Amino acid sequence: MRKTLLASLVAALTTSGCAVLVPDYATPAAPIPAQWPAQAPSAANATDAATPPQRVAANEASDGEAEAKGAASEATQVTAAPAASIGWESFFTDPQLSELIALALANNRDLRVAGLAIEKARAQYQIQRADLFPAIDASIAGTSQRTPASLSSTGQAAISRQYTAGLGFAAYELDFFGRISSLKEQALYLFMATEEARRSAQISLVAEVANAYLTLAADREHLALAAETLRSQNESYQLNLRRFELGVASELDVRQAQTSVESARADVARYTGQVSLDRNALALLVGSDFPPALVQTESLASVSAVAPIPEGIPSTQLQRRPDVLQAERQLQAANANIGAARAAFFPSITLTASGGNSSDQLSALFHDGSASWSFIPKISLPIFNAGRLSASLDVARVDQQIALAQYEKAVQTAFREVADALTQGVPLRQQTQAQQALVEASAASYRLSQARFERGVDSYLAVLDSQRTLYAAQQNLISVRLAGLTNQVTLYKALGGGAF
């Protein structure tokens, strides 16, 4: 009866082969709309409610706004290749910025850690894969034992010796139900996830270096504007001081001019410190010393424009982003772990075998007739474990659901990042145009107020007010231009560009 039962069990195990208990996997549907959200309405839509002078100004700008709206609407069409196919060398055309990015990719420590994590995951995968094969060891051993007379069958103390030499393996598990294969598959997906994590880190690094470089250029431009304002206001202050000494101007005019000088002086000090902080931040990202000539750009206008991003990219392309692929690889790893947890319910078969020579004398270890071998098969079937295996399977299934939710969140986060960047594109262009017009209008107002003051029509307060308005408009124009450029960098990063 026992022989029949054992034979039936072995036959069933043999015919089953390496059963695969891993659930079937399919890439989950992206929980996002197929199209990007509608772009923000342009200022042209507000002309109906504008006052007559505002309506005239809006009509004059309608042609440019219509063009911007047309470009934005084309961005929702599915007609172009993904931005990931555009290398960072092609997108960032400024030679100094390109050199800084290349230095960062070679020296940044965070990216280096991400690369080393890949090597670690690869080694862990090799460790797990090795369990599919028996570990064969060669061994030579000698044993000497003295038996006292009281325990000896002859009544006399005896010394026995045994020497063995052979090859063998111990507790090698036959993977009939795919437990080891499932664990190997899990390790493989985790290894692939670390590679995607490195690519994601590279994208972030490229974007961070670009934004740090643009921020440094903007703060240098802020500093130059503050210095120029300080110079011109100091000249005005000196002029008012001489006029006061001649009795033409009042002390109030002098003090008002002085407030403008000190305000500009404070801005010069503030932006001088900010430029130093920007350089330090860029140095940390680059990870090494870089030639000072690479960061001598004085304004955003001196930075080469970035390449245009292809329009009409479908939202499904987000599933190719490295961070989304990383989340999917982790989901696949969790899926494979379910197979390992299921296999634990089935019998495990382990083999221990060795072959070689044995002798009671070392000199006769390899003589004829000293051959020896052993073969120990073992079948273990879980009977009672207080629900441990069921709980382990529940944990594996919950881990898979957690990984699924994390994957869906990664896709939704990617969609929002791209949608935000696309939505901000048109308003930022319109804001730049409006801010440029404001600078021009403020400059004209400043010139007129200066002329009226020199003719004695207005007090210096009107000049001071116009100058402050112009200075604020110029500073805001720099900030808006910076926001437009960083938005393009953000869109490039959000679409998965710069990963190769």
Side-chain angles (χ1 to χ4, degrees):
M1 180 65 179
R2 289 181 179 177
K3 293 182 178 180
T4 303
L5 179 60
L6 181 60
S8 300
L9 179 59
V10 172
L13 294 175
T14 303
T15 56
S16 66
C18 294
V20 179
L21 301 178
V22 178
D24 293 336
Y25 177 83
T27 301
I32 55 176
Q35 298 293 333
W36 305 112
Q39 303 301 306
S42 68
N45 294 335
T47 57
D48 291 339
T51 60
Q54 293 172 328
R55 183 173 304 177
V56 171
N59 290 336
E60 292 175 351
S62 60
D63 293 339
E65 293 169 353
E67 181 180 352
K69 289 179 65 181
S73 62
E74 290 174 2
T76 61
Q77 300 173 4
V78 182
T79 58
S85 61
I86 305 176
W88 63 264
E89 302 94 335
S90 301
F91 183 73
F92 298 104
T93 57
D94 187 272
Q96 295 180 356
L97 176 55
S98 296
E99 190 169 346
L100 286 171
I101 292 176
L103 287 173
L105 293 178
N107 299 294
N108 182 266
R109 298 309 189 268
D110 289 335
L111 192 61
R112 188 174 298 178
V113 169
L116 292 173
I118 295 176
E119 299 301 321
K120 177 181 177 181
R122 180 185 289 112
Q124 290 173 332
Y125 166 68
Q126 292 294 338
I127 293 173
Q128 193 62 58
R129 182 177 178 272
D131 288 342
L132 290 172
F133 307 95
I136 300 176
D137 299 317
S139 63
I140 298 178
T143 302
S144 298
Q145 181 177 351
R146 179 182 183 279
T147 304
S150 59
L151 297 179
S152 174
S153 59
T154 62
Q156 297 179 351
I159 297 177
S160 60
R161 295 181 175 84
Q162 181 179 355
Y163 303 92
T164 60
L167 293 173
F169 55 86
Y172 168 58
E173 181 177 350
L174 299 178
D175 195 28
F176 279 107
F177 298 100
R179 188 186 72 86
I180 300 177
S181 296
S182 297
L183 293 176
K184 183 205 72 169
E185 185 177 350
Q186 179 191 27
L188 175 60
Y189 284 124
L190 291 177
F191 161 60
M192 295 169 68
T194 58
E195 169 61 23
E196 300 299 342
R198 186 204 63 81
R199 294 176 58 223
S200 181
Q202 177 173 319
I203 292 176
S204 297
L205 177 61
V206 169
E208 286 176 6
V209 171
N211 285 331
Y213 180 77
L214 294 171
T215 300
L216 174 59
D219 285 337
R220 280 184 176 274
E221 189 170 357
H222 279 295
L223 176 59
L225 177 61
E228 174 61 24
T229 301
L230 175 61
R231 184 194 62 79
S232 64
Q233 292 307 306
N234 190 56
E235 292 178 355
S236 297
Y237 169 70
Q238 296 298 331
L239 178 60
N240 278 280
L241 184 60
R242 288 194 297 270
R243 289 166 59 90
F244 171 70
E245 293 172 349
L246 295 173
V248 178
S250 65
E251 184 180 358
L252 178 60
D253 293 337
V254 175
R255 296 308 179 189
Q256 288 174 340
Q258 185 180 7
T259 61
S260 181
V261 170
E262 299 306 328
S263 176
R265 195 193 310 277
D267 281 350
V268 168
R270 176 162 61 94
Y271 285 113
T272 298
Q274 190 60 49
V275 166
S276 298
L277 294 177
D278 293 341
R279 286 175 58 90
N280 294 341
L282 190 58
L284 177 62
L285 291 171
V286 172
S288 66
D289 294 333
F290 51 82
L294 292 181
V295 290
Q296 292 303 318
T297 175
E298 295 296 334
S299 67
L300 288 174
S302 63
V303 179
S304 301
V306 296
I309 296 177
E311 299 174 350
I313 297 180
S315 62
T316 54
Q317 291 291 341
L318 294 179
Q319 292 175 299
R320 298 178 57 184
R321 268 187 28 162
D323 58 335
V324 174
L325 288 175
Q326 177 188 0
E328 183 174 7
R329 297 293 178 255
Q330 292 170 341
L331 173 59
Q332 291 170 315
N335 194 66
N337 191 45
I338 294 178
R342 286 176 173 176
F345 286 87
F346 294 87
S348 63
I349 301 176
T350 57
L351 302 178
T352 299
S354 64
N357 297 74
S358 299
S359 174
D360 59 354
Q361 297 180 4
L362 183 60
S363 59
L365 181 59
F366 296 101
H367 288 181
D368 293 339
S370 63
S372 64
W373 59 269
S374 66
F375 178 67
I376 308 174
K378 178 182 178 181
I379 301 177
S380 298
L381 179 65
I383 300 298
F384 176 75
N385 48 58
R388 180 189 301 273
L389 296 181
S390 297
S392 297
L393 179 57
D394 291 340
V395 169
R397 286 171 173 164
V398 172
D399 284 342
Q400 191 264 354
Q401 291 300 311
I402 292 174
L404 174 60
Q406 291 174 335
Y407 169 78
E408 293 175 340
K409 177 65 178 299
V411 175
Q412 291 174 340
T413 300
F415 181 85
R416 179 188 173 180
E417 290 176 355
V418 176
D420 286 350
L422 286 174
T423 301
Q424 288 298 310
V426 174
L428 283 172
R429 287 195 294 271
Q430 296 171 345
Q431 188 177 353
T432 302
Q433 295 170 0
Q435 194 67 38
Q436 179 64 51
L438 178 59
V439 169
E440 295 171 358
S442 299
S445 176
Y446 175 63
R447 290 192 299 269
L448 292 173
S449 61
Q450 183 73 28
R452 289 172 63 87
F453 169 71
E454 293 173 353
R455 290 178 173 84
V457 178
D458 285 335
S459 67
Y460 190 74
L461 182 60
V463 178
L464 183 61
D465 184 65
S466 297
Q467 187 275 330
R468 288 174 176 172
T469 301
L470 173 60
Y471 181 62
Q474 291 171 323
Q475 294 281 24
N476 288 336
L477 179 60
I478 298 173
S479 299
V480 172
R481 285 174 174 169
L482 175 62
L485 288 172
T486 55
N487 185 70
Q488 289 180 274
V489 174
T490 300
L491 178 58
Y492 178 67
K493 170 189 173 183
L495 290 171
F500 304 101

